[in-house]
């Protein structure tokens, strides 16, 4: 019901409900008058039955509908906050895992490959320490835009926490996933952000990939652990690179 009220708006809802109330009042009054008293319709009674709800209903329903719409908007906002990261507008960790599990199960049933990429912004703490958290937030938002611009509509993208992000790539093998994230790595490396009136900054990312092919029996949790391990190895190996868990192929 609240979805319907939100679609038609408060004014139209009040008009419609008032019209229904007036019509119902007239019909009910006429029925009671004729059935209970066996008399012909009294037009003064009918006029009263119409005027009273026409005067009262709009004022009452105006506030009732507004309270209902406020509750509807609040619930939608809470639902959005539960599913999306407030800063980057990407999926939150929980929402990412939920969506990825659905995709992963679908790929398993269809015997198709599925890849997970874990991404970390290199030396992000130094960025915060050197330029402040406001600039750090701009880096996160900038990278989120890159992710959205260079992934497919079928991919799932989320902010896992802090400066760590993840991409779920359905129907994508190891080499296909590497091509996608290599483009993201290059674009990120070329990004220049204003840190102050006299300085700009750039940043790099490290990426770990894990892949489940059509014959694999791994779980999503195992794939995520492998991608996280590959990301760690990319950090240890010098950052600004991609490591694929299965073959540990480097793309720099």
């Amino acid at each position: 019901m609240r979805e319907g009220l939100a679609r038609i708006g408060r004014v139209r809802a009040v008009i419609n409900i008032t019209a229904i109330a007036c019509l119902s009042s007239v019909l009910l009054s006429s029925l009671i008058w004729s059935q209970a008293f066996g008399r012909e319709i009294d037009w003064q009674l009918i006029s009263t039955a119409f005027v009273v709800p026409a005067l009262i209903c709009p004022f009452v329903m105006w506030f009732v509908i507004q309270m209902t719409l406020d509750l509807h908007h609040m619930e939608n906002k809470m639902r959005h906050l539960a599913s999306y990261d407030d800063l980057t507008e990407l999926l939150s960790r929980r929402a990412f895992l939920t969506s990825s599990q659905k995709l992963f199960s679908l790929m398993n049933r269809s015997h198709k490959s599925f890849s997970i990429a874990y991404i970390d912004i290199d030396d992000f703490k130094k960025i915060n320490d050197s330029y402040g958290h406001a600039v750090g937030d701009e880096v996160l938002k900038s990278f989120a835009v890159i992710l959205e611009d260079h992934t497919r509509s079928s991919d799932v993208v989320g902010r896992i926490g802090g400066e760590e992000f993840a991409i779920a790539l359905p129907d994508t093998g190891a080499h296909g996933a590497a091509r996608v994230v290599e483009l993201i790595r290059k674009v990120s490396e070329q990004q220049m952000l204003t840190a102050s009136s006299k300085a700009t900054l750039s940043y790099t990312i490290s990426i770990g990939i894990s892949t489940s092919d059509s014959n694999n029996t791994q779980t999503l949790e195992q794939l995520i652990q492998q991608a996280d391990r590959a990301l760690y190895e990319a950090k240890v190996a010098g950052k600004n690179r991609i490591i694929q868990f299965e073959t540990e192929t480097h793309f720099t």
Side-chain angles (χ1 to χ4, degrees):
M1 185 184 76
R2 280 179 286 187
E3 289 286 350
L5 288 176
R7 283 196 299 270
I8 67 176
R10 180 162 60 159
V11 174
R12 289 179 60 188
V14 169
I15 292 173
N16 290 341
I17 293 173
T18 300
I20 293 171
C22 291
L23 180 60
S24 300
S25 177
V26 168
L27 292 176
L28 185 60
S29 298
S30 301
L31 180 63
I32 293 175
W33 186 258
S34 60
Q35 295 295 325
F37 301 102
R39 300 180 183 180
E40 294 182 0
I41 296 175
D42 186 327
W43 293 106
Q44 184 177 358
L45 173 66
I46 297 301
S47 298
T48 303
F50 179 85
V51 171
V52 171
L55 292 176
I56 296 175
C57 191
F59 293 101
V60 174
M61 294 312 300
W62 184 263
F63 293 104
V64 171
I65 291 174
Q66 184 58 48
M67 291 175 61
T68 303
L69 291 176
D70 287 344
L71 179 61
H72 174 71
H73 295 322
M74 186 178 299
E75 287 181 350
N76 283 343
K77 184 176 181 180
M78 294 297 292
R79 194 177 297 114
H80 181 84
L81 290 173
S83 299
Y84 291 89
D85 174 60
D86 189 46
L87 179 65
T88 63
E89 287 297 313
L90 298 178
L91 289 176
S92 65
R93 178 184 179 87
R94 177 178 295 181
F96 172 82
L97 293 175
T98 300
S99 298
S100 296
Q101 184 61 62
K102 292 178 181 178
L103 270 181
F104 180 70
S105 299
L106 178 61
M107 293 301 104
N108 270 354
R109 290 195 299 269
S110 304
H111 302 289
K112 294 180 179 179
S113 299
F114 183 88
S115 293
I116 288 282
Y118 259 40
I119 307 170
D120 189 84
I121 298 176
D122 295 328
D123 301 315
F124 186 73
K125 185 177 183 303
K126 290 183 179 179
I127 294 175
N128 276 335
D129 292 343
S130 300
Y131 302 103
H133 289 279
V135 173
D137 287 348
E138 290 303 314
V139 171
L140 294 172
K141 289 190 287 186
S142 166
F143 183 60
V145 172
I146 293 174
L147 287 176
E148 290 183 320
D149 288 345
H150 294 87
T151 50
R152 304 164 299 183
S153 59
S154 59
D155 298 332
V156 176
V157 183
R159 182 185 178 194
I160 304 304
E163 67 273 21
E164 193 168 283
F165 300 79
I167 311 173
L169 301 109
D171 196 16
T172 306
H175 290 287
R179 285 194 299 270
V180 171
V181 296
E182 171 62 5
L183 176 60
I184 292 172
R185 188 193 68 80
K186 286 183 176 179
V187 172
S188 301
E189 189 178 32
Q190 297 165 1
Q191 189 83 352
M192 298 296 294
L193 297 176
T194 300
S196 67
S197 59
K198 297 181 180 180
T200 58
L201 70 88
S202 60
Y203 60 89
T204 61
I205 58 175
S206 298
I207 307 168
I209 305 173
S210 63
T211 300
S212 171
D213 62 29
S214 58
N215 299 316
N216 210 319
T217 58
Q218 292 169 297
T219 64
L220 178 63
E221 183 179 355
Q222 289 172 327
L223 283 179
I224 288 174
Q225 290 174 352
Q226 292 171 357
D228 194 38
R229 177 178 167 186
L231 172 60
Y232 174 78
E233 292 174 356
K235 290 286 192 180
V236 172
K239 304 175 184 177
N240 191 24
R241 66 192 64 224
I242 304 165
I243 289 185
Q244 223 293 334
F245 177 81
E246 293 179 342
T247 59
E248 295 190 351
T249 303
H250 296 238
F251 300 83
T252 56

